[in-house]
Amino acid sequence: MKKQDYPEMSAIYEEGIATKNATFQTNALSYEEWDRKYLPICRLVAVQKEHVVGFAALLPFSSMPSYRGVAELSIYVSSQAKGKGMGSALMDAMITASEEAGIWTLQSLIFPENRASIHLHEKFDFQTLCIHEKLGEMDGVFRDVALMERRSKKICYT
């Protein structure tokens, strides 16, 4: 990912916002806000015909050193690229990049209604740990959120 990719990334994120099943956010962040929020490592874009059609990035789980290898995954694919393998390509690349960067646990928070995202995560061995009932409020309605997690198979947990 490069800074100049951000306008197209932001447009993809806005598409996700409009679905009401991708995020609690109501508008895209400025690049500066986004840059501060996400980890500086593992920022990936999927490009097709010189246009960004998807992206994946990691949010910090905690500032405590013992959790340095745990990150929250954010992955978005444009409506034009859905069903064409871009989500799988991004997920595969993110798993590889994150493990190379020392991340041993990826977590995602997903609306249970977002079946495509749930399916993508399951395809890559994410497990649903729980459903947080009524975790956040959107448009006056409290929404459930699934917590999904994937542990690296390259790390020895003994």
Side-chain angles (χ1 to χ4, degrees), residues 67-138:
Y67 296 123
R68 69 193 173 283
V70 182
E72 181 185 337
L73 171 64
S74 184
I75 186 166
Y76 287 83
V77 175
S78 75
S79 59
Q80 297 97 348
K82 288 191 187 299
K84 297 180 181 173
M86 293 301 167
S88 291
L90 279 167
M91 184 70 85
D92 189 50
M94 178 55 80
I95 288 168
T96 299
S98 65
E99 288 178 340
E100 288 174 0
I103 303 296
W104 59 76
T105 301
L106 291 174
Q107 293 188 337
S108 288
L109 294 166
I110 306 169
F111 292 124
E113 297 85 0
N114 190 340
R115 295 301 310 151
S117 186
I118 298 281
H119 177 70
L120 174 65
H121 284 74
E122 288 173 343
K123 179 178 172 182
F124 286 90
D125 298 324
F126 279 73
Q127 303 298 313
T128 301
L129 299 184
C130 67
I131 303 292
H132 293 288
E133 293 183 8
K134 298 174 178 43
L135 185 64
E137 182 269 333
M138 176 188 287

